[in-house]
Amino acid sequence: MEGDGTPVPRRLLAAATRLFAEQGYDRTSVQEIVEAAGVTKGALYHYFGSKDDLLHEVYARVLRLQQERLDAFAGADAPVEERLRGAAADVVVTTIENLDDAAIFWRSMHHLSPEKNKQVRAERRSYHERFRALIEEGQESGVFSKATPADLVVDYHFGSVHHLPTWYSPDGPLSPQQVADHLADLLLRALRP
């Protein structure tokens, strides 16, 4: 910890997130990040091996949160429809709450090293598979229609989630929870037998 008591890695991530959102990943230098965080380059390289590592962590921290929350919804002792609705709404809310992180990632994912890109894709695939398993559980038990393949349902919902940074505004007419409820309801209506 330095300065205001915030741990150095958190300060670096906050500075990188703000600068990546404002200027773009490729137009942000390591020097700008360390100056904004109030640390040295040595501190950055102590916690993160490269700017690429910072970009990866911007996304990974949101994905870890979403995975933990999805696991809790999926493992809950509740009807599958309730678990899926909760998970579907939660990923919307957590994406909106981390809108800069999501926007940075979708704009800048191609800047990741091939190894990190592969790792992120595997982590996202794991998340999507867990989400799809809820849909398949409901389809197999007859709660959800089998008319649309579960993979397509997953792509439908996450296509909406991934586009949130392009249109959602905190100053708009809908709160994060309202957007989440509408999108979760759309998903469940699409699955209705």
Side-chain angles (χ1 to χ4, degrees):
M1 292 195 208
E2 291 181 14
D4 66 358
T6 303
V8 171
R10 275 211 345 239
R11 288 171 53 201
L12 285 163
L13 278 169
T17 300
R18 183 175 54 75
L19 290 167
F20 293 165
E22 290 172 2
Q23 303 175 177
Y25 173 82
D26 53 339
R27 290 185 306 280
T28 301
S29 71
V30 168
Q31 186 62 41
E32 289 173 305
I33 295 167
V34 298
E35 285 176 6
V39 301
T40 64
K41 282 186 181 178
L44 182 142
Y45 292 121
H46 176 75
Y47 294 102
F48 301 96
S50 64
K51 190 170 86 163
D52 180 63
D53 288 345
L54 277 167
L55 176 61
H56 178 257
E57 185 58 24
V58 164
Y59 184 67
R61 66 183 170 175
V62 176
L63 187 57
R64 280 192 303 270
L65 167 71
Q66 290 175 332
Q67 185 70 57
E68 288 170 14
R69 294 177 62 91
L70 174 59
D71 290 342
F73 281 109
D77 185 22
V80 68
E81 185 173 4
E82 187 178 314
R83 290 181 285 139
L84 179 62
R85 189 187 190 291
D90 182 73
V91 72
V92 173
V93 170
T94 54
T95 298
I96 290 173
E97 288 174 347
N98 297 280
L99 212 53
D100 278 348
D101 302 54
I104 290 164
F105 186 75
W106 293 114
R107 275 195 322 247
S108 306
M109 183 178 168
H110 64 283
H111 290 292
L112 287 174
S113 68
E115 177 184 306
K116 287 218 181 347
N117 197 304
K118 183 178 179 180
Q119 180 183 350
V120 164
R121 288 183 186 279
E123 291 164 353
R124 273 190 28 228
R125 187 171 39 257
S126 175
Y127 182 91
H128 287 193
E129 287 170 358
R130 179 79 169 180
F131 193 90
R132 185 185 67 225
L134 283 170
I135 295 166
E136 291 171 337
E137 178 186 337
Q139 288 176 325
E140 291 306 313
S141 65
V143 173
F144 301 145
S145 169
K146 290 183 180 182
T148 305
D151 281 335
L152 192 55
V153 176
V154 170
D155 289 342
Y156 164 79
H157 186 66
F158 285 98
S160 299
V161 172
H162 296 159
H163 280 91
L164 286 167
T166 66
W167 67 266
Y168 181 79
S169 170
D171 300 327
L174 297 174
S175 71
Q177 191 61 56
Q178 288 171 317
V179 172
D181 290 340
H182 284 302
L183 292 178
D185 289 344
L186 281 170
L187 176 68
L188 290 177
R189 279 197 297 274
L191 287 167
R192 201 171 281 147

